[in-house]
């Protein structure tokens, strides 16, 4: 049966002129019988261009399922070529009778015209081919003759194959365009290798969203963008499906609702697909299609398991060749899927056999998929088939990996299908429900479900019991880490440590997770063994091929280094993790962005720090995740470091957020120290009275272990300085500085406070301690304005760090940089390290000669670097280069001090 004119869009041929006594109809000639597309036919310019390019080759094959719009496309294309005078063409419509040579010749005569093919019918296919080649070579004009053979599948047979083979034996001006539902019996592979074949397949003919909108507009239907996208996705751009939808949508009061409900069980779709596809298949093939419709993808062996009969691979491959809405999904041709609407039809047909018939197919699929180690699909089909023994068995072995691999939707679907009573008897399903509750931020429900699972442990034995014990311990560790409760988490240390030592489980993923969560808790508590735990977690995760756990472990190490003041190590670790593929949206990597933000803040690169802080916030909440308390604290800590010195309102808001987070929660010891340091800095920023600051110092003094740790001690020294106690600030800051390496972040900040306090007391002995360790600026800037006289003294009497001091002054004066403009054009070519070094001096008042002296290079070298800098920044001079560098965050913000 040919494609109908409405959904399949078969173009009608030109109407015949009536024969009258007064005028005889002229004999049809070449091109007179081209089909005329209906008025309003959509012109698909991209496909017309594809066909124009294709006919440069001897053969063009347009092979697509019924209703794909092959005939309509070719008719519209030939009509456009005729209007443009692009060469001769002929159209031959084939049918089942044309399988015989006499009937085939009759169709050729009808298509090319009796004036073109004169004489008796040839006796052999070879002679037919010779006659056609003669027409192509002797016709007037210089261009090729395009011969379209439409509905080739209806006339398939030895006669047609022999004719086409004869046409391809030698080069000629004939261009064959073959339109068929399935691949013809021709040596297509040889034509492909020889470069003599162009192909348009179903995917090429699929309507794009703009084309679908035009098609719908022809039926006076307009859809919202989301509804249009949904309709195109549901139909996969299938022309017949879109036209059937358009007929249903025309005049409908709520087209959006109809689109949401449009599927393979729509009556119009059912009628079309049954008639044009399903009813044409032999009984065994129909049975295979129905029984395999329960799975999203099917292979030959899986089809055999679902039907109970062999031969599935051969049937599926035959359906692909026939373009029967079966699509291979891998290049090896082992796995297949059905067109979305066709799959919907098959499922609705299978459902007519009853619920038990459908459930049986799900159970069969689950057994095969579990044996093939396809856990996500296996557990879903087991649940759909009501086989909860199999579902729980798969979950017990694989739920951790499924959760890590992004199968949350499958886990949620399984949990939603089990009844409350059944959940009480299925401890591993309860554990999965607990884990998903934690992911959704419902800690109380998670705890209740974990108690339910623990209550069933005694009735288990062997490996199943060991797995439940292990997984309960892992979830308790995770819950403690999410709550920031190191004491509760470390109570699980003994069980978790047993997991990490016990190779009998042969599950490196669980062991990696145990090391990861223990390392997180130990880091928050200030345990020096934390870094070793995180290293081990990364190693095990790498061995297990679990990138998410490995990335999380490396991210935690980067954050640990940043919090400890090891900024160079933190930067290297964070950069190695995040620069592999751009911004990550995984919540586990939020701490890596935090680490990079903190490093950038300490270096005074507030533009980058703010961008990284924003990425950290987005990553922590990606996919609807709920950040744990320690991550929330990290976000607040970095945010507090980026507040401008004069931003009292911002400091007050950050202080309120920090106090709200700490309400009812005592963080682990190291995290508490950083929280109290931030609290002291924020109180100082709000301009609180001296008594308030002194009370904060007194509270810290009650816990000497915390108050003497560098980050908190420096913050308290700054508070004392702001409260008018320079002697106390100097004593505290000097004690910190003397105990740390000069390149340490806390040492730099301590020396800055000490220098500022000494200046207040008219002493300068601490000023000489100011150096340039790793380009750290924030610790110096935070001591402003008290440290400004120290800078003025050093500049007046000479220093080798004028660039650093200038940048610190600008950073203190301007606070944080405004967000970069959205239209700032990025660098097309990165600056070298030496060029960046020269660039840092451009906002200062130093001449080229003075910059050369600072860098211990020649003036000519500096001038060469300047020329390259101006070119890469697309700048006209020094001022323009500084402006552009500030937009890009390459130098600290502020006023340009040099007018040159």
């Amino acid at each position: 049966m040919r494609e109908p004119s409405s959904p399949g869009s078969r173009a009608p041929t030109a109407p015949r002129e009536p024969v009258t006594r007064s005028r005889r109809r002229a004999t049809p000639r070449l091109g007179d019988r081209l089909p005329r597309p209906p008025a309003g036919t959509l012109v698909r310019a991209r496909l017309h261009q594809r066909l124009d390019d294709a006919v440069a080759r001897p053969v063009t094959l347009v092979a697509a399922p019924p209703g794909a719009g092959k005939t309509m496309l070719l008719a519209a294309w030939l009509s456009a070529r005729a209007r443009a005078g692009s060469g001769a063409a002929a159209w031959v419509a084939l049918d089942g009778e044309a399988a015989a040579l006499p009937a085939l010749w009759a169709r050729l005569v009808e298509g090319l015209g009796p004036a073109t093919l004169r004489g008796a019918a040839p006796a052999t296919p070879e002679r037919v081919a010779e006659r056609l080649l003669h027409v192509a070579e002797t016709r007037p004009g210089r261009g090729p003759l395009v011969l379209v053979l439409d509905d080739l599948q209806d006339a398939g047979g030895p006669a047609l194959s022999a004719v086409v083979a004869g046409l391809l034996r030698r080069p000629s001006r004939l261009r064959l365009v073959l339109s068929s539902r399935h691949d013809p019996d021709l040596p297509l592979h040889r034509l492909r290798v020889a470069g003599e074949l162009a192909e348009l397949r179903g995917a090429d003919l699929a309507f794009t969203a703009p084309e679908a909108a035009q098609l719908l507009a022809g039926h006076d239907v307009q859809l919202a963008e989301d509804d249009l996208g949904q309709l195109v996705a549901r139909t996969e751009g299938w022309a017949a499906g879109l036209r059937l939808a358009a007929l249903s949508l025309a005049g409908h009061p709520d087209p959006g609702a109809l689109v949401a409900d449009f599927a393979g069980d729509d009556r119009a779709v059912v009628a079309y697909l049954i008639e044009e596809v399903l009813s044409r298949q032999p009984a065994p093939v129909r049975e295979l299609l129905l029984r395999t419709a329960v799975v999203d993808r099917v292979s030959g062996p899986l089809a055999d398991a679902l039907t109970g009969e062999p031969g599935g691979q051969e049937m599926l491959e035959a359906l692909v060749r026939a373009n029967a809405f079966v699509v291979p999904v891998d290049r090896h041709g082992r796995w297949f899927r059905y067109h979305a609407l066709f799959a919907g039809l098959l499922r609705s047909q299978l459902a007519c056999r009853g619920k038990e018939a459908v459930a049986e197919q799900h159970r069969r699929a689950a057994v095969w998929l579990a044996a093939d180690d396809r856990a996500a699909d296996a557990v879903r089909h087991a649940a759909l088939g009501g086989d909860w023994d199999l579902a729980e068995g798969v979950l017990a072995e694989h739920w951790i990996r499924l959760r890590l691999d992004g199968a949350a939707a499958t886990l949620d679907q399984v949990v939603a299908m089990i009844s409350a009573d059944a959940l009480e008897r299925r401890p591993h399903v309860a554990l999965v429900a607990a884990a998903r509750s934690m992911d959704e931020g419902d800690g109380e429900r998670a705890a209740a479900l974990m108690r339910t699972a623990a209550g069933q442990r005694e009735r288990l034995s062997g490996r199943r019991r060991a797995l439940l014990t292990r997984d309960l311990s892992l979830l308790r560790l995770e819950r403690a880490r999410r709550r920031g409760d190191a004491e509760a988490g470390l109570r699980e240390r003994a069980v978790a440590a047993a997991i990490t030592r016990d190779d009998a489980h042969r599950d490196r993923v669980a062991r990696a997770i145990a090391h990861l969560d223990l390392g997180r808790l130990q880091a928050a508590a200030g345990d020096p063994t934390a870094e070793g735990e995180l290293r081990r977690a990364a190693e095990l995760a790498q061995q297990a091929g679990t990138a998410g756990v490995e990335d999380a472990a490396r991210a935690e190490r980067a954050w640990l280094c940043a919090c400890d003041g090891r900024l160079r190590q933190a930067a290297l670790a964070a950069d190695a993790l995040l620069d592999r593929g751009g911004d990550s949206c995984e919540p586990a990597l939020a701490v890596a962005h935090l680490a990079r933000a903190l490093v950038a803040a300490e270096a005074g690169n507030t533009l980058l720090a703010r961008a990284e802080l924003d990425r950290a916030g987005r990553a922590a909440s990606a996919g609807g995740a709920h950040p744990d308390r320690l991550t929330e604290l990290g976000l607040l800590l970095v945010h507090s470091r980026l507040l401008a010195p004069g931003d009292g309102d911002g400091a007050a808001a950050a202080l309120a957020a920090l106090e709200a987070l700490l309400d009812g929660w005592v963080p682990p010891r190291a995290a508490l120290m950083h929280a109290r340091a931030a609290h002291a800095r924020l109180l100082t920023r709000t301009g609180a009275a001296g008594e308030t600051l002194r009370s904060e110092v007194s509270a810290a003094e009650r816990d000497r272990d915390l108050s003497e740790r560098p980050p908190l001690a420096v913050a308290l020294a700054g508070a004392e300085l702001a409260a008018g106690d320079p002697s106390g600030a100097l004593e505290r800051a000097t004690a910190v500085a003397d105990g740390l390496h000069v390149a340490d972040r806390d040492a730099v900040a301590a020396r800055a406070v000490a220098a500022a306090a000494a200046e207040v007391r008219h002493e300068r002995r601490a000023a000489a301690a100011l150096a340039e360790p790793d380009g750290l600026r924030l610790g110096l800037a935070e001591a402003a304005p008290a440290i400004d006289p120290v800078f003025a003294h050093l500049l007046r009497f000479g220093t080798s760090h004028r660039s650093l001091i200038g940048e610190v002054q600008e950073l203190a004066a301007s606070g944080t940089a405004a967000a970069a403009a959205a239209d700032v054009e990025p660098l097309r070519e990165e600056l070298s390290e030496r060029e960046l070094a020269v660039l840092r001096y451009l906002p200062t008042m130093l001449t080229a000669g003075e910059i050369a002296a600072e860098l211990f290079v020649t003036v000519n070298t500096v001038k060469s670097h300047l020329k390259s800098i101006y070119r890469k920044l697309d700048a006209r001079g020094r001022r323009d280069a500084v402006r552009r560098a500030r937009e890009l965050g390459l130098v600290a913000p502020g006023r340009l001090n040099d007018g040159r």
Side-chain angles (χ1 to χ4, degrees), residues 86-169:
S86 298
W91 182 284
V92 177
L94 301 173
D95 54 27
E97 295 178 358
L101 188 61
L104 175 60
W105 177 254
R107 302 296 182 276
L108 291 170
V109 171
E110 183 180 2
L112 277 77
T116 302
L117 292 178
R118 296 187 180 92
T124 66
E126 291 75 18
R127 290 292 298 155
V128 172
E130 290 177 8
R131 294 280 296 275
L132 292 173
L133 290 173
H134 178 75
V135 168
E137 295 301 325
T138 60
R139 71 168 194 83
R142 304 175 65 180
L145 167 61
V146 175
L147 175 59
V148 176
L149 301 182
D150 191 30
D151 282 333
L152 194 69
Q153 76 282 339
D154 290 338
L160 180 61
S161 297
V163 169
V164 175
L167 293 174
L168 299 176
R169 284 200 182 104

